Amino acid sequence: MITSPITRPITEPITRAITATGTGGSAVPEPAFRYLAGEGDSLTAGTNTGGTSFLTICSTAASPAFPSYYISAVGGSQVSGMVSRAAALDATLGDDWNFLSVMIGTNDLSSGVNIPAFLTDLAAYLDARRAAGWLVVLHTIPPRNNAAFNILRN
């Protein structure tokens, strides 16, 4: 049996020894509530995957670590679409751990976007989400059965 290196640390109880005033260096449990949000295109939204989103699969695999999740993704999205939805996404932030899963780029690359501009816009979006309070996880753009696309992707 293969055990994913990602799910094991997430599903086990998480504690971190921190030294802060009043703790005496003892282990302090992290917040029990973890919130997962997903942003991106149809792969995250689930519109071209038989209705099952990438985020649903992640949340289920890591259960019970992520008891709640929110999908902001929209099929066909590019980075500009994520930017337009950012305020609504940020409004869902909770008080504890807020993970944001971002899988974007397939539609940008397919449309012939300027690669340096795409990377600059994506970096600005990610920086703004971190500044808003998200713990951001950026996924690699998945390959396609298209050599020209895969050259751009790499």
Side-chain angles (χ1 to χ4, degrees), residues 53-78:
S53 74
F54 171 74
L55 198 63
T56 302
I57 294 167
C58 291
S59 181
T60 302
S63 182
F66 294 108
S68 179
Y69 65 93
Y70 173 77
I71 299 174
S72 179
V74 175
S77 282
Q78 297 181 342

Side-chain angles (χ1 to χ4, degrees), residues 15-59:
T15 58
R16 182 185 340 171
I18 59 172
T19 304
T21 305
T23 66
S26 61
V28 176
E30 295 293 351
F33 184 75
R34 292 171 196 90
Y35 177 66
L36 177 63
E39 181 56 285
D41 54 28
S42 61
L43 296 173
T44 303
T47 53
N48 288 335
T49 57
T52 302
S53 74
F54 171 74
L55 198 63
T56 302
I57 294 167
C58 291
S59 181

Side-chain angles (χ1 to χ4, degrees), residues 2-151:
I2 298 172
T3 303
S4 168
I6 300 299
T7 58
R8 185 177 170 102
I10 292 174
T11 57
E12 291 180 355
I14 300 171
T15 58
R16 182 185 340 171
I18 59 172
T19 304
T21 305
T23 66
S26 61
V28 176
E30 295 293 351
F33 184 75
R34 292 171 196 90
Y35 177 66
L36 177 63
E39 181 56 285
D41 54 28
S42 61
L43 296 173
T44 303
T47 53
N48 288 335
T49 57
T52 302
S53 74
F54 171 74
L55 198 63
T56 302
I57 294 167
C58 291
S59 181
T60 302
S63 182
F66 294 108
S68 179
Y69 65 93
Y70 173 77
I71 299 174
S72 179
V74 175
S77 282
Q78 297 181 342
V79 171
S80 58
M82 291 191 325
V83 169
S84 70
R85 295 187 297 271
L89 176 67
D90 291 348
T92 71
L93 276 163
D95 294 330
D96 290 325
W97 287 18
N98 298 283
F99 290 90
L100 175 61
S101 167
V102 177
M103 186 186 301
I104 194 74
T106 299
N107 297 310
D108 298 87
L109 295 182
S110 296
S111 70
V113 70
N114 175 285
I115 302 295
F118 162 73
L119 294 173
T120 299
D121 293 347
L122 179 59
Y125 173 84
L126 298 173
D127 287 344
R129 301 294 62 76
R130 287 185 199 99
W134 292 101
L135 300 169
V136 178
V137 177
L138 177 64
H139 301 272
T140 302
I141 301 170
R144 284 187 157 182
N145 191 15
N146 178 314
F149 175 87
N150 290 330
I151 288 170

